[in-house]
Amino acid sequence: MRLMDWKQTIKRWRPLPPQEQARIRRSRIPLNVAESMAFEGEPVALATLRAELARLERRPATSKPVLAS
């Protein structure tokens, strides 16, 4: 598989519908968080983060923020 350079990546990204762009961004959150926490010396399982994201996406949208437990 050939890697794209940044110009090719942008050309593929821009025509995507906003819903697809949002889906891709959300799907990248667990990996970004896992990498950040590992860098800080507090590794977390990627599967745990993906499960939490899936749980949050199943919740109905509300106007009130979710309280941390």
Side-chain angles (χ1 to χ4, degrees):
M1 181 170 88
R2 193 175 136 243
L3 295 176
M4 293 185 288
D5 68 5
W6 66 271
K7 291 177 189 176
Q8 292 170 319
T9 303
I10 290 172
K11 284 181 182 177
R12 286 186 61 188
W13 179 259
R14 286 185 176 160
L16 292 175
Q19 297 86 357
E20 181 64 10
Q21 289 180 358
R23 185 196 65 76
I24 292 169
R25 284 186 185 113
R26 279 192 311 273
S27 72
R28 292 180 180 160
I29 291 171
L31 181 59
N32 293 342
V33 171
E35 289 174 346
S36 176
M37 292 183 77
F39 182 77
E40 291 295 324
E42 299 178 21
V44 64
L46 187 55
T48 302
L49 295 172
R50 286 186 174 142
E52 180 65 12
L53 180 62
R55 185 185 70 78
L56 292 174
E57 287 177 343
R58 287 191 306 267
R59 293 181 56 117
T62 65
S63 60
K64 294 183 179 180
V66 177
L67 298 176
S69 53

